[in-house]
Structures are given as structure tokens and as C-alpha cells.
Amino acid sequence: GEDVEQSLFLSVREGDSSVINCTYTDSSSTYLYWYKQEPGAGLQLLTYIFSNMDMKQDQRLTVLLNKKDKHLSLRIADTQTGDSAIYFCARGSSASKIIFGSGTRLSIRP
Amino acid sequence: NAGVTQTPKFRVLKTGQSMTLLCAQDMNHEYMYWYRQDPGMGLRLIHYSVGEGTTAKGEVPDGYNVSRLKKQNFLLGLESAAPSQTSVYFCASSLAGDYEQYFGPGTRLTVT
């Protein structure tokens, strides 16, 4: 999915906020997603946002969408060791599929 | 409600051998997908299906075939395995094309 880009790695200190960023090129998607993949497991939907929204908050998670810049971000407040995982940004496609980014590996420092 | 299941979980093949990976979902989803995941490359779509009896090529279809004879099952076949097909394979299903996808636990395949 080269039209959905995200950095490969992020390291944060436990208790700090993590911000994972994503950019995309096609603005026609209805939904944009964040998936989480823990070691040895499949992907699980973490949260999603409708393309007509700017922000969505769900407990420790905040998703921000800047449609003009085609930029999506995921903020995890008070990052814990259990948040260590790979986070995938994705957008819905009119062509019967979801386009995934390459994933950002989040590691937590004590 | 088991969601999406995959069998087997692990497999080691020799070059040239064949095998079939089975994906099953009990959510009555129309759409099903096969991905491979390699380090640093994210998920790459191999084949997908938009309903029973249909299949379509994804990003990396070469060396793989699929069948969707029943709505709940999506099979991925490797006719002649190659070391380049060593990967983790994920199946997913969804209600519609751009809706949330539900993933299976993955199959780790090694081709020697």
C-alpha cells in the first residue's frame, strides 16, 4: 500500500503519550482505520473515523484527521507496556478492499 | 462465534511441494481476503473474493490460487512452493469492501 505511508518505528517512555502519524494520497475513502497487531497475532481493529469527522476520542485513544493535508494520527495517552505492538493505518477503498500502510512498531522504554 | 479461523497454524514445506491453507468465517461476511506479511513490508494482498464463487487478484497473486466454493470458506493454494513464499499468511473477512476487516490468527509458512 504505497499510497498509505507511516514511519516504521516509534519509541516512547512509559507514561508518555505516543503519536503515530500516517499520510495517504487518495481522499475518496469513507472510513480510515487504525489496527493493532500484537506479537504472533492477527490484526485487530483499534478504532476508526469517518472521513467527515476531524477527531474521535475513545478512552486513551485520540484520532485526528486533517483532510486537507491527507494526514491521520493516532495518539495514545499514558502509554503502557501493553501498548507495545505494530500499528497499521488503513483507508477504505472503493475497489472492494482496504489499503494498509506498512505499520509502525511502537516500543515502550521504562 | 469463532470469528475467522485459519488452518494450519504452522507449516514447513520443501521447494516444489504443494499445500492449501484454509480460512473459515462464521460471520456471514461476503468479502474475504488473503494477505502475506513480511518484515518491513506490511500487508500485501494476494487474492480476494467479493462473494461465493468469485475471486480476484490482489497486489501479489503470482504463485498462488484461490477458491471460494462456499461463502464461509476461502482457500489459498500453493501449487509449487518456493522459498520466496516463506511468510506469515493472514486471512480476513468483512461485510463490505471498505468496512472493517476481521483477521484470522495467521499461518506461518516456511519453504526450505
Short mmCIF file of all heavy atoms in Angstrom, two decimals, chain B residues 8-66:
data_model
loop_
_atom_site.label_atom_id
_atom_site.label_comp_id
_atom_site.label_asym_id
_atom_site.label_seq_id
_atom_site.Cartn_x
_atom_site.Cartn_y
_atom_site.Cartn_z
N PRO B 8 -3.44 -24.66 8.49
CA PRO B 8 -2.84 -24.89 9.80
C PRO B 8 -2.27 -23.61 10.40
O PRO B 8 -2.32 -22.56 9.75
CB PRO B 8 -1.72 -25.88 9.46
CG PRO B 8 -1.27 -25.45 8.10
CD PRO B 8 -2.53 -25.01 7.38
N LYS B 9 -1.72 -23.68 11.58
CA LYS B 9 -1.06 -22.52 12.19
C LYS B 9 0.40 -22.42 11.75
O LYS B 9 0.94 -21.33 11.64
CB LYS B 9 -1.13 -22.62 13.71
CG LYS B 9 -2.51 -22.37 14.28
CD LYS B 9 -2.47 -22.29 15.80
CE LYS B 9 -3.76 -21.76 16.40
NZ LYS B 9 -4.98 -22.38 15.85
N PHE B 10 1.02 -23.55 11.53
CA PHE B 10 2.43 -23.60 11.11
C PHE B 10 2.57 -24.68 10.06
O PHE B 10 1.87 -25.69 10.09
CB PHE B 10 3.37 -23.95 12.27
CG PHE B 10 3.29 -23.02 13.44
CD1 PHE B 10 2.44 -23.31 14.50
CD2 PHE B 10 4.06 -21.88 13.48
CE1 PHE B 10 2.37 -22.46 15.59
CE2 PHE B 10 3.98 -21.02 14.56
CZ PHE B 10 3.13 -21.31 15.62
N ARG B 11 3.52 -24.45 9.13
CA ARG B 11 3.80 -25.49 8.16
C ARG B 11 5.19 -25.27 7.60
O ARG B 11 5.59 -24.12 7.36
CB ARG B 11 2.77 -25.47 7.02
CG ARG B 11 2.89 -26.59 6.01
CD ARG B 11 2.42 -27.91 6.57
NE ARG B 11 2.68 -28.99 5.63
CZ ARG B 11 1.81 -29.43 4.74
NH1 ARG B 11 0.60 -28.88 4.64
NH2 ARG B 11 2.13 -30.40 3.92
N VAL B 12 5.90 -26.38 7.38
CA VAL B 12 7.20 -26.32 6.71
C VAL B 12 7.07 -27.15 5.43
O VAL B 12 6.65 -28.31 5.48
CB VAL B 12 8.33 -26.86 7.60
CG1 VAL B 12 9.65 -26.82 6.84
CG2 VAL B 12 8.44 -26.05 8.89
N LEU B 13 7.42 -26.56 4.31
CA LEU B 13 7.35 -27.24 3.03
C LEU B 13 8.73 -27.28 2.40
O LEU B 13 9.57 -26.40 2.64
CB LEU B 13 6.44 -26.49 2.05
CG LEU B 13 4.93 -26.52 2.25
CD1 LEU B 13 4.27 -25.68 1.15
CD2 LEU B 13 4.41 -27.94 2.21
N LYS B 14 8.96 -28.28 1.55
CA LYS B 14 10.15 -28.27 0.71
C LYS B 14 9.79 -27.60 -0.61
O LYS B 14 8.64 -27.64 -1.07
CB LYS B 14 10.62 -29.70 0.47
CG LYS B 14 11.14 -30.40 1.72
CD LYS B 14 11.80 -31.71 1.35
CE LYS B 14 12.15 -32.57 2.53
NZ LYS B 14 12.87 -31.87 3.60
N THR B 15 10.80 -27.01 -1.23
CA THR B 15 10.60 -26.38 -2.54
C THR B 15 9.95 -27.35 -3.50
O THR B 15 10.37 -28.52 -3.61
CB THR B 15 11.95 -25.90 -3.11
OG1 THR B 15 12.49 -24.92 -2.22
CG2 THR B 15 11.78 -25.31 -4.48
N GLY B 16 8.89 -26.89 -4.17
CA GLY B 16 8.19 -27.70 -5.15
C GLY B 16 6.96 -28.42 -4.60
O GLY B 16 6.11 -28.88 -5.38
N GLN B 17 6.83 -28.51 -3.29
CA GLN B 17 5.66 -29.15 -2.72
C GLN B 17 4.46 -28.22 -2.84
O GLN B 17 4.58 -27.01 -3.02
CB GLN B 17 5.90 -29.52 -1.24
CG GLN B 17 6.83 -30.68 -1.05
CD GLN B 17 6.96 -31.07 0.42
OE1 GLN B 17 7.05 -30.23 1.30
NE2 GLN B 17 6.95 -32.37 0.67
N SER B 18 3.28 -28.81 -2.67
CA SER B 18 2.06 -28.01 -2.74
C SER B 18 1.33 -28.09 -1.41
O SER B 18 1.54 -29.02 -0.62
CB SER B 18 1.16 -28.51 -3.86
OG SER B 18 0.74 -29.84 -3.58
N MET B 19 0.49 -27.10 -1.16
CA MET B 19 -0.34 -27.15 0.03
C MET B 19 -1.52 -26.18 -0.13
O MET B 19 -1.51 -25.30 -1.01
CB MET B 19 0.43 -26.80 1.29
CG MET B 19 0.71 -25.33 1.50
SD MET B 19 1.19 -24.96 3.22
CE MET B 19 -0.30 -25.35 4.11
N THR B 20 -2.51 -26.37 0.72
CA THR B 20 -3.68 -25.49 0.74
C THR B 20 -3.88 -24.96 2.14
O THR B 20 -3.86 -25.72 3.11
CB THR B 20 -4.94 -26.25 0.30
OG1 THR B 20 -4.75 -26.74 -1.02
CG2 THR B 20 -6.16 -25.32 0.32
N LEU B 21 -4.06 -23.65 2.24
CA LEU B 21 -4.39 -23.02 3.52
C LEU B 21 -5.90 -22.77 3.53
O LEU B 21 -6.46 -22.28 2.55
CB LEU B 21 -3.67 -21.69 3.67
CG LEU B 21 -2.19 -21.69 4.06
CD1 LEU B 21 -1.34 -22.24 2.93
CD2 LEU B 21 -1.72 -20.28 4.41
N LEU B 22 -6.50 -23.10 4.66
CA LEU B 22 -7.95 -22.94 4.78
C LEU B 22 -8.29 -21.77 5.69
O LEU B 22 -7.72 -21.63 6.77
CB LEU B 22 -8.58 -24.21 5.33
CG LEU B 22 -10.07 -24.12 5.70
CD1 LEU B 22 -10.92 -23.85 4.47
CD2 LEU B 22 -10.52 -25.39 6.40
N CYS B 23 -9.22 -20.95 5.25
CA CYS B 23 -9.76 -19.87 6.06
C CYS B 23 -11.26 -20.08 6.19
O CYS B 23 -11.93 -20.34 5.17
CB CYS B 23 -9.47 -18.52 5.41
SG CYS B 23 -10.21 -17.12 6.27
N ALA B 24 -11.78 -19.95 7.38
CA ALA B 24 -13.22 -20.08 7.60
C ALA B 24 -13.71 -18.93 8.47
O ALA B 24 -13.03 -18.52 9.41
CB ALA B 24 -13.53 -21.42 8.28
N GLN B 25 -14.91 -18.41 8.12
CA GLN B 25 -15.52 -17.36 8.94
C GLN B 25 -16.98 -17.68 9.18
O GLN B 25 -17.65 -18.22 8.29
CB GLN B 25 -15.35 -15.98 8.27
CG GLN B 25 -15.80 -15.89 6.83
CD GLN B 25 -17.21 -15.38 6.63
OE1 GLN B 25 -17.90 -15.00 7.59
NE2 GLN B 25 -17.66 -15.36 5.38
N ASP B 26 -17.44 -17.34 10.37
CA ASP B 26 -18.82 -17.67 10.74
C ASP B 26 -19.66 -16.41 10.93
O ASP B 26 -20.65 -16.42 11.68
CB ASP B 26 -18.83 -18.55 11.99
CG ASP B 26 -18.20 -17.86 13.20
OD1 ASP B 26 -17.78 -16.69 13.07
OD2 ASP B 26 -18.11 -18.51 14.26
N MET B 27 -19.28 -15.33 10.28
CA MET B 27 -19.97 -14.05 10.43
C MET B 27 -20.85 -13.71 9.22
O MET B 27 -21.36 -12.59 9.12
CB MET B 27 -18.93 -12.94 10.67
CG MET B 27 -18.16 -13.16 11.98
SD MET B 27 -16.80 -12.01 12.20
CE MET B 27 -15.59 -12.72 11.10
N ASN B 28 -20.98 -14.64 8.30
CA ASN B 28 -21.78 -14.43 7.10
C ASN B 28 -21.27 -13.26 6.26
O ASN B 28 -22.05 -12.57 5.59
CB ASN B 28 -23.26 -14.21 7.46
CG ASN B 28 -24.18 -14.53 6.29
OD1 ASN B 28 -23.92 -15.43 5.49
ND2 ASN B 28 -25.26 -13.77 6.17
N HIS B 29 -19.95 -13.06 6.28
CA HIS B 29 -19.37 -11.97 5.50
C HIS B 29 -19.27 -12.34 4.03
O HIS B 29 -18.96 -13.48 3.68
CB HIS B 29 -17.98 -11.63 6.03
CG HIS B 29 -18.01 -10.86 7.31
ND1 HIS B 29 -16.88 -10.65 8.07
CD2 HIS B 29 -19.03 -10.25 7.97
CE1 HIS B 29 -17.20 -9.93 9.14
NE2 HIS B 29 -18.50 -9.69 9.09
N GLU B 30 -19.53 -11.33 3.18
CA GLU B 30 -19.42 -11.56 1.74
C GLU B 30 -17.98 -11.53 1.27
O GLU B 30 -17.59 -12.25 0.37
CB GLU B 30 -20.19 -10.47 0.99
CG GLU B 30 -21.69 -10.56 1.10
CD GLU B 30 -22.26 -11.78 0.37
OE1 GLU B 30 -21.60 -12.31 -0.54
OE2 GLU B 30 -23.38 -12.21 0.74
N TYR B 31 -17.18 -10.62 1.85
CA TYR B 31 -15.84 -10.37 1.35
C TYR B 31 -14.80 -11.15 2.16
O TYR B 31 -14.86 -11.16 3.40
CB TYR B 31 -15.51 -8.88 1.43
CG TYR B 31 -16.32 -8.01 0.51
CD1 TYR B 31 -17.68 -7.80 0.71
CD2 TYR B 31 -15.71 -7.38 -0.58
CE1 TYR B 31 -18.42 -7.01 -0.14
CE2 TYR B 31 -16.45 -6.58 -1.43
CZ TYR B 31 -17.80 -6.40 -1.21
OH TYR B 31 -18.53 -5.61 -2.06
N MET B 32 -13.85 -11.75 1.47
CA MET B 32 -12.75 -12.44 2.14
C MET B 32 -11.44 -12.14 1.42
O MET B 32 -11.44 -11.89 0.20
CB MET B 32 -13.01 -13.95 2.21
CG MET B 32 -14.23 -14.30 3.07
SD MET B 32 -14.46 -16.07 3.34
CE MET B 32 -13.17 -16.41 4.55
N TYR B 33 -10.36 -12.17 2.18
CA TYR B 33 -9.07 -11.71 1.68
C TYR B 33 -7.95 -12.64 2.15
O TYR B 33 -8.02 -13.17 3.26
CB TYR B 33 -8.77 -10.30 2.21
CG TYR B 33 -9.85 -9.28 1.94
CD1 TYR B 33 -10.95 -9.17 2.78
CD2 TYR B 33 -9.77 -8.43 0.83
CE1 TYR B 33 -11.96 -8.24 2.52
CE2 TYR B 33 -10.78 -7.50 0.58
CZ TYR B 33 -11.86 -7.41 1.43
OH TYR B 33 -12.85 -6.49 1.18
N TRP B 34 -6.92 -12.75 1.34
CA TRP B 34 -5.67 -13.39 1.76
C TRP B 34 -4.54 -12.38 1.61
O TRP B 34 -4.38 -11.76 0.55
CB TRP B 34 -5.34 -14.62 0.91
CG TRP B 34 -6.01 -15.86 1.36
CD1 TRP B 34 -7.03 -16.52 0.77
CD2 TRP B 34 -5.66 -16.64 2.53
NE1 TRP B 34 -7.37 -17.64 1.49
CE2 TRP B 34 -6.54 -17.74 2.57
CE3 TRP B 34 -4.70 -16.50 3.53
CZ2 TRP B 34 -6.50 -18.70 3.58
CZ3 TRP B 34 -4.65 -17.45 4.53
CH2 TRP B 34 -5.54 -18.54 4.55
N TYR B 35 -3.77 -12.23 2.71
CA TYR B 35 -2.61 -11.35 2.73
C TYR B 35 -1.38 -12.16 3.10
O TYR B 35 -1.46 -13.20 3.75
CB TYR B 35 -2.75 -10.27 3.81
CG TYR B 35 -3.87 -9.29 3.63
CD1 TYR B 35 -5.13 -9.53 4.17
CD2 TYR B 35 -3.67 -8.09 2.95
CE1 TYR B 35 -6.16 -8.60 4.03
CE2 TYR B 35 -4.68 -7.16 2.80
CZ TYR B 35 -5.92 -7.42 3.35
OH TYR B 35 -6.93 -6.51 3.21
N ARG B 36 -0.22 -11.64 2.73
CA ARG B 36 1.02 -12.12 3.29
C ARG B 36 1.71 -10.96 3.98
O ARG B 36 1.58 -9.80 3.56
CB ARG B 36 1.93 -12.76 2.23
CG ARG B 36 2.35 -11.90 1.08
CD ARG B 36 3.29 -12.65 0.15
NE ARG B 36 4.61 -12.87 0.76
CZ ARG B 36 5.58 -13.60 0.21
NH1 ARG B 36 5.38 -14.19 -0.96
NH2 ARG B 36 6.74 -13.75 0.81
N GLN B 37 2.40 -11.30 5.06
CA GLN B 37 3.10 -10.28 5.83
C GLN B 37 4.57 -10.65 5.94
O GLN B 37 4.91 -11.71 6.46
CB GLN B 37 2.51 -10.11 7.23
CG GLN B 37 3.14 -8.97 8.01
CD GLN B 37 2.52 -8.77 9.38
OE1 GLN B 37 2.02 -9.70 10.00
NE2 GLN B 37 2.52 -7.53 9.86
N ASP B 38 5.42 -9.77 5.45
CA ASP B 38 6.86 -9.96 5.51
C ASP B 38 7.47 -8.79 6.26
O ASP B 38 6.95 -7.67 6.19
CB ASP B 38 7.44 -10.06 4.09
CG ASP B 38 6.80 -11.18 3.30
OD1 ASP B 38 7.05 -12.34 3.66
OD2 ASP B 38 6.02 -10.90 2.36
N PRO B 39 8.59 -9.02 6.95
CA PRO B 39 9.20 -7.95 7.76
C PRO B 39 9.43 -6.68 6.96
O PRO B 39 10.01 -6.71 5.86
CB PRO B 39 10.52 -8.57 8.21
CG PRO B 39 10.27 -10.04 8.19
CD PRO B 39 9.35 -10.27 7.03
N GLY B 40 8.97 -5.55 7.52
CA GLY B 40 9.21 -4.26 6.88
C GLY B 40 8.35 -3.97 5.67
O GLY B 40 8.48 -2.91 5.06
N MET B 41 7.45 -4.92 5.29
CA MET B 41 6.66 -4.70 4.08
C MET B 41 5.17 -4.62 4.36
O MET B 41 4.37 -4.57 3.44
CB MET B 41 6.96 -5.81 3.06
CG MET B 41 8.42 -5.88 2.68
SD MET B 41 8.72 -6.96 1.29
CE MET B 41 8.10 -5.96 -0.03
N GLY B 42 4.81 -4.64 5.59
CA GLY B 42 3.39 -4.54 5.91
C GLY B 42 2.61 -5.71 5.37
O GLY B 42 3.10 -6.82 5.24
N LEU B 43 1.36 -5.46 5.04
CA LEU B 43 0.48 -6.48 4.49
C LEU B 43 0.38 -6.30 2.98
O LEU B 43 0.16 -5.20 2.51
CB LEU B 43 -0.92 -6.34 5.08
CG LEU B 43 -1.12 -6.69 6.53
CD1 LEU B 43 -2.53 -6.35 6.94
CD2 LEU B 43 -0.85 -8.16 6.77
N ARG B 44 0.49 -7.40 2.27
CA ARG B 44 0.30 -7.34 0.82
C ARG B 44 -0.84 -8.27 0.44
O ARG B 44 -0.85 -9.45 0.82
CB ARG B 44 1.58 -7.71 0.09
CG ARG B 44 2.69 -6.65 0.25
CD ARG B 44 3.91 -6.96 -0.59
NE ARG B 44 4.62 -8.13 -0.10
CZ ARG B 44 5.60 -8.73 -0.76
NH1 ARG B 44 5.98 -8.27 -1.94
NH2 ARG B 44 6.23 -9.77 -0.24
N LEU B 45 -1.77 -7.76 -0.33
CA LEU B 45 -2.96 -8.50 -0.69
C LEU B 45 -2.63 -9.48 -1.81
O LEU B 45 -2.12 -9.10 -2.87
CB LEU B 45 -4.07 -7.54 -1.14
CG LEU B 45 -5.41 -8.14 -1.51
CD1 LEU B 45 -6.05 -8.82 -0.31
CD2 LEU B 45 -6.33 -7.06 -2.07
N ILE B 46 -2.96 -10.76 -1.61
CA ILE B 46 -2.66 -11.79 -2.60
C ILE B 46 -3.85 -11.97 -3.55
O ILE B 46 -3.74 -11.78 -4.76
CB ILE B 46 -2.33 -13.13 -1.91
CG1 ILE B 46 -1.18 -12.96 -0.92
CG2 ILE B 46 -1.97 -14.18 -2.96
CD1 ILE B 46 -0.96 -14.18 -0.04
N HIS B 47 -4.98 -12.37 -2.98
CA HIS B 47 -6.23 -12.52 -3.71
C HIS B 47 -7.37 -12.14 -2.78
O HIS B 47 -7.21 -12.16 -1.56
CB HIS B 47 -6.45 -13.98 -4.15
CG HIS B 47 -5.60 -14.45 -5.29
ND1 HIS B 47 -5.88 -14.14 -6.61
CD2 HIS B 47 -4.49 -15.23 -5.29
CE1 HIS B 47 -4.97 -14.72 -7.37
NE2 HIS B 47 -4.12 -15.38 -6.61
N TYR B 48 -8.52 -11.86 -3.36
CA TYR B 48 -9.67 -11.60 -2.54
C TYR B 48 -10.93 -12.09 -3.25
O TYR B 48 -10.89 -12.49 -4.42
CB TYR B 48 -9.78 -10.12 -2.15
CG TYR B 48 -9.98 -9.17 -3.30
CD1 TYR B 48 -11.24 -8.62 -3.57
CD2 TYR B 48 -8.93 -8.77 -4.10
CE1 TYR B 48 -11.43 -7.73 -4.61
CE2 TYR B 48 -9.10 -7.87 -5.14
CZ TYR B 48 -10.35 -7.35 -5.39
OH TYR B 48 -10.53 -6.47 -6.42
N SER B 49 -12.03 -12.08 -2.51
CA SER B 49 -13.30 -12.56 -3.05
C SER B 49 -14.41 -11.64 -2.57
O SER B 49 -14.45 -11.30 -1.38
CB SER B 49 -13.55 -13.99 -2.58
OG SER B 49 -14.88 -14.38 -2.85
N VAL B 50 -15.30 -11.28 -3.46
CA VAL B 50 -16.42 -10.41 -3.09
C VAL B 50 -17.72 -11.18 -2.92
O VAL B 50 -18.78 -10.59 -2.75
CB VAL B 50 -16.60 -9.25 -4.10
CG1 VAL B 50 -15.32 -8.43 -4.20
CG2 VAL B 50 -17.01 -9.75 -5.47
N GLY B 51 -17.63 -12.50 -2.95
CA GLY B 51 -18.81 -13.32 -2.71
C GLY B 51 -18.54 -14.75 -3.14
O GLY B 51 -17.56 -15.04 -3.84
N GLU B 52 -19.44 -15.63 -2.73
CA GLU B 52 -19.29 -17.05 -3.08
C GLU B 52 -19.13 -17.22 -4.58
O GLU B 52 -19.87 -16.61 -5.37
CB GLU B 52 -20.53 -17.81 -2.59
CG GLU B 52 -20.52 -19.29 -2.86
CD GLU B 52 -21.79 -19.95 -2.33
OE1 GLU B 52 -22.18 -19.66 -1.19
OE2 GLU B 52 -22.39 -20.74 -3.08
N GLY B 53 -18.14 -18.02 -4.96
CA GLY B 53 -17.92 -18.30 -6.38
C GLY B 53 -17.10 -17.26 -7.12
O GLY B 53 -16.83 -17.42 -8.31
N THR B 54 -16.68 -16.18 -6.43
CA THR B 54 -15.88 -15.13 -7.09
C THR B 54 -14.50 -15.06 -6.50
O THR B 54 -14.31 -15.32 -5.31
CB THR B 54 -16.53 -13.74 -6.94
OG1 THR B 54 -16.30 -13.25 -5.61
CG2 THR B 54 -18.02 -13.78 -7.21
N THR B 55 -13.52 -14.72 -7.33
CA THR B 55 -12.17 -14.43 -6.84
C THR B 55 -11.58 -13.32 -7.69
O THR B 55 -12.01 -13.10 -8.84
CB THR B 55 -11.24 -15.66 -6.91
OG1 THR B 55 -11.10 -16.06 -8.27
CG2 THR B 55 -11.78 -16.82 -6.08
N ALA B 56 -10.62 -12.60 -7.12
CA ALA B 56 -9.96 -11.53 -7.86
C ALA B 56 -8.52 -11.42 -7.39
O ALA B 56 -8.20 -11.78 -6.25
CB ALA B 56 -10.69 -10.20 -7.64
N LYS B 57 -7.66 -10.93 -8.28
CA LYS B 57 -6.24 -10.81 -7.96
C LYS B 57 -5.98 -9.56 -7.14
O LYS B 57 -6.58 -8.51 -7.36
CB LYS B 57 -5.41 -10.76 -9.25
CG LYS B 57 -5.41 -12.06 -10.02
CD LYS B 57 -4.57 -11.95 -11.28
CE LYS B 57 -4.59 -13.26 -12.05
NZ LYS B 57 -3.79 -13.20 -13.30
N GLY B 58 -5.05 -9.71 -6.22
CA GLY B 58 -4.60 -8.56 -5.44
C GLY B 58 -3.28 -8.05 -5.95
O GLY B 58 -2.99 -8.11 -7.15
N GLU B 59 -2.46 -7.62 -5.03
CA GLU B 59 -1.18 -6.98 -5.36
C GLU B 59 -0.11 -7.99 -5.77
O GLU B 59 0.71 -7.73 -6.65
CB GLU B 59 -0.74 -6.21 -4.12
CG GLU B 59 0.45 -5.31 -4.24
CD GLU B 59 0.80 -4.70 -2.88
OE1 GLU B 59 -0.02 -4.80 -1.94
OE2 GLU B 59 1.91 -4.16 -2.75
N VAL B 60 -0.10 -9.17 -5.13
CA VAL B 60 0.96 -10.16 -5.36
C VAL B 60 0.36 -11.55 -5.60
O VAL B 60 0.58 -12.48 -4.82
CB VAL B 60 1.98 -10.18 -4.19
CG1 VAL B 60 2.83 -8.93 -4.20
CG2 VAL B 60 1.25 -10.33 -2.85
N PRO B 61 -0.35 -11.76 -6.70
CA PRO B 61 -1.07 -13.03 -6.89
C PRO B 61 -0.24 -14.18 -7.45
O PRO B 61 -0.67 -15.35 -7.37
CB PRO B 61 -2.15 -12.64 -7.91
CG PRO B 61 -1.48 -11.57 -8.73
CD PRO B 61 -0.62 -10.81 -7.76
N ASP B 62 0.94 -13.87 -8.02
CA ASP B 62 1.69 -14.91 -8.74
C ASP B 62 2.15 -16.02 -7.80
O ASP B 62 2.70 -15.78 -6.74
CB ASP B 62 2.90 -14.29 -9.45
CG ASP B 62 2.47 -13.34 -10.56
OD1 ASP B 62 1.30 -13.43 -10.99
OD2 ASP B 62 3.29 -12.51 -10.99
N GLY B 63 1.93 -17.27 -8.24
CA GLY B 63 2.34 -18.43 -7.46
C GLY B 63 1.26 -18.93 -6.52
O GLY B 63 1.46 -19.92 -5.82
N TYR B 64 0.11 -18.26 -6.51
CA TYR B 64 -1.00 -18.62 -5.62
C TYR B 64 -2.29 -18.78 -6.41
O TYR B 64 -2.50 -18.10 -7.40
CB TYR B 64 -1.24 -17.54 -4.56
CG TYR B 64 -0.05 -17.18 -3.73
CD1 TYR B 64 0.76 -16.09 -4.10
CD2 TYR B 64 0.28 -17.88 -2.59
CE1 TYR B 64 1.86 -15.73 -3.33
CE2 TYR B 64 1.37 -17.52 -1.81
CZ TYR B 64 2.16 -16.45 -2.19
OH TYR B 64 3.23 -16.10 -1.44
N ASN B 65 -3.16 -19.69 -5.94
CA ASN B 65 -4.50 -19.76 -6.48
C ASN B 65 -5.48 -19.81 -5.31
O ASN B 65 -5.10 -20.16 -4.18
CB ASN B 65 -4.68 -20.98 -7.40
CG ASN B 65 -4.32 -22.28 -6.69
OD1 ASN B 65 -5.06 -22.77 -5.85
ND2 ASN B 65 -3.17 -22.83 -7.03
N VAL B 66 -6.71 -19.42 -5.58
CA VAL B 66 -7.72 -19.37 -4.52
C VAL B 66 -9.04 -19.95 -5.03
O VAL B 66 -9.27 -20.01 -6.24
CB VAL B 66 -7.98 -17.93 -4.01
CG1 VAL B 66 -6.83 -17.43 -3.15
CG2 VAL B 66 -8.25 -16.98 -5.17
#
